[in-house]
């Protein structure tokens, strides 16, 4: 009797172990927000990686990029669930430091993507080279305004490491390479196209002879476009936008936007998941992975590689 019971218990243990081993690994991907096209494209890339590598993607983030506390709650919830891996784009560079410490204590590998943190408790940092992207934007705007005159910058939000790097790159190039260009105004769009439009209109009112504007994010770019169109300034004030969306592409075609500095959010989402899968499979991913940005003009829209960048997964 005892031998039969022991055999039954052993079978249950073996069956339970088999069931547990067959469960898919879970990787949580937490963006700064879920509302902008950029993050939707990151989500598509993460899901593509999940399908390719056989892992479940848990996608969750705050509605807006300024909801720092909400993002912290989501990260902490995923850590409490003991997900197998965590990819997070920090909305504010210091807000998640304690959460990352807890993940490290529990042995949960973390990839920080898109925007950096001040903590060193992460496995990989994967992002666009945002400082260089800001430099690219500055040089393009300088070319458009003939390397002289007055320009402004519509910034994103305080504490966002990625956009702060872009803005710093923009400023550094203007100071070092274009002494005849004066940056006369800068305001935050606060990750909100309506607020960004209002900020851009304030700048245009204060500087009616402004030669050009650079925006450092998608919502700020859309806000500037709306302001230029509302004041019939399309083509009169040179405009270099950042990121892309369907409306921004239409504005590029129409001449409201003169150039866009474009990232590859699909690849960012895919590679963020891949680094965690590699780690779970015993590999050691690089500590830092930089992805290049690209300046896109209206004339580039028909190029196959640009089409693939702007419309990933579409033929």
């Amino acid at each position: 009797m005892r031998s039969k019971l022991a055999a039954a218990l052993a079978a249950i243990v073996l069956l339970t172990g088999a069931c547990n081993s067959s469960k898919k690994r879970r990787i949580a991907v937490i963006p700064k927000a879920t509302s902008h096209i950029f993050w939707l494209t990151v989500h598509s890339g993460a899901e593509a990686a999940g399908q390719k590598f056989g892992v479940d993607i848990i996608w969750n983030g705050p509605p807006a990029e300024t909801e720092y506390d909400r993002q912290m709650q989501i990260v902490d919830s995923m850590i409490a669930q003991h997900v197998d891996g965590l990819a997070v784009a920090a909305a504010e560079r210091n807000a998640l430091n304690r959460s990352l410490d807890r993940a490290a204590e529990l042995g949960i590998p973390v990839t920080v993507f898109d925007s950096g943190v001040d903590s060193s408790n992460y496995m990989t940092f994967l992002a666009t080279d945002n400082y260089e992207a800001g430099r690219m934007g500055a040089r393009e705007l300088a070319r458009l305004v003939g390397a002289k005159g007055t320009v402004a910058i519509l910034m994103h939000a305080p504490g966002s490491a990625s956009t702060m790097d872009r803005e710093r790159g923009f400023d550094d190039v203007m100071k070092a390479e274009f002494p005849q260009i004066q940056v006369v105004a800068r305001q935050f769009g606060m990750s909100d196209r309506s607020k960004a439009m209002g900020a851009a209109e304030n700048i245009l009112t204060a500087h009616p002879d402004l030669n050009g504007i650079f925006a450092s994010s998608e919502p700020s770019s859309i806000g500037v476009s709306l302001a230029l169109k509302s004041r019939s300034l399309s083509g009169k004030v040179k405009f270099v936008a950042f990121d892309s969306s369907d409306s921004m592409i239409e504005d590029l075609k129409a001449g409201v936007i003169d150039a866009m500095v474009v990232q590859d959010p699909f690849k960012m989402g895919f590679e963020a998941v891949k680094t965690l899968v590699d780690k779970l499979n015993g590999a050691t991913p690089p500590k830092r992975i930089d992805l290049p940005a690209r300046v896109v003009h209206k004339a580039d829209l028909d190029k196959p590689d640009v089409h693939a960048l702007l419309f990933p997964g579409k033929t």
Side-chain angles (χ1 to χ4, degrees):
M1 183 70 178
R2 286 183 179 178
S3 62
K4 290 182 179 180
L5 180 60
L9 289 173
I12 291 172
V13 169
L14 288 171
L15 180 61
T16 302
C19 290
N20 287 338
S21 65
S22 66
K23 286 179 64 176
K24 278 188 175 182
R25 290 163 166 166
R26 297 177 305 146
I27 292 178
V29 183
I30 303 171
K32 289 182 180 180
T34 55
S35 54
H36 302 310
I37 294 298
F38 178 86
W39 299 115
L40 297 177
T41 310
V42 169
H43 187 191
S44 297
E47 289 290 353
Q51 292 178 12
K52 179 172 182 177
F53 302 119
V55 296
D56 283 334
I57 302 299
I58 306 172
W59 174 266
N60 196 1
E65 293 188 22
T66 51
E67 295 184 45
Y68 308 143
D69 289 343
R70 178 58 185 146
Q71 188 184 48
M72 192 187 316
Q73 290 169 1
I74 294 169
V75 170
D76 288 344
S77 171
M78 296 301 168
I79 293 171
Q81 295 179 42
H82 212 297
V83 293
D84 296 290
L86 176 64
V88 59
E92 204 282 331
R93 65 187 313 146
N94 292 302
L96 298 177
N97 289 352
R98 291 184 180 178
S99 300
L100 297 183
D101 291 344
R102 283 194 292 275
E105 290 170 2
L106 292 171
I108 299 173
V110 174
T111 289
V112 175
F113 70 95
D114 177 68
S115 196
V117 293
D118 284 343
S119 170
S120 59
N121 263 336
Y122 60 84
M123 176 188 72
T124 296
F125 174 54
L126 182 148
T128 300
D129 186 340
N130 284 295
Y131 180 76
E132 181 58 30
R135 287 160 56 91
M136 293 166 64
R139 291 182 180 124
E140 180 61 21
L141 187 59
R143 184 189 70 81
L144 289 164
V145 301
K148 62 182 179 180
T150 58
V151 301
I153 178 168
L154 210 297
M155 302 183 293
H156 182 63
S160 169
S162 58
T163 51
M164 289 169 66
D165 285 346
R166 294 170 203 165
E167 293 148 11
R168 182 168 57 89
F170 179 89
D171 284 333
D172 286 353
V173 161
M174 286 300 183
K175 290 174 185 175
E177 300 180 17
F178 302 103
Q180 295 186 64
I181 294 179
Q182 184 181 5
V183 181
V184 295
R186 60 183 66 239
Q187 289 196 33
F188 287 111
M190 298 307 295
S191 188
D192 182 292
R193 63 185 62 184
S194 296
K195 291 178 181 177
M197 179 181 179
E201 289 186 326
N202 289 340
I203 291 172
L204 293 167
T205 298
H207 303 277
D209 296 324
L210 192 73
N211 299 112
I213 298 181
F214 171 68
S216 65
S217 68
E218 177 192 331
S220 290
S221 296
I222 292 173
V224 171
S225 282
L226 292 170
L228 292 175
K229 287 186 284 189
S230 73
R231 295 184 172 230
S232 300
L233 291 174
S234 301
K236 298 175 184 177
V237 177
K238 300 302 181 183
F239 176 31
V240 176
F242 206 99
D243 286 330
S244 70
S245 67
D246 289 346
S247 69
M248 289 170 65
I249 293 168
E250 290 305 311
D251 284 341
L252 182 65
K253 292 177 181 178
V256 182
I257 296 173
D258 295 281
M260 301 188 305
V261 183
V262 180
Q263 306 181 80
D264 192 340
F266 185 90
K267 185 173 184 180
M268 189 179 296
F270 187 96
E271 293 296 328
V273 171
K274 183 178 183 298
T275 60
L276 293 164
V277 172
D278 288 346
K279 176 64 176 177
L280 294 171
N281 288 337
T284 302
K287 185 68 174 179
R288 183 182 180 104
I289 300 173
D290 285 325
L291 303 176
R294 175 169 181 165
V295 176
V296 173
H297 303 94
K298 178 181 178 180
D300 299 322
L301 292 176
D302 292 330
K303 296 177 180 178
D305 58 336
V306 172
H307 190 274
L309 178 63
L310 298 178
F311 304 102
K314 299 179 182 179
T315 58

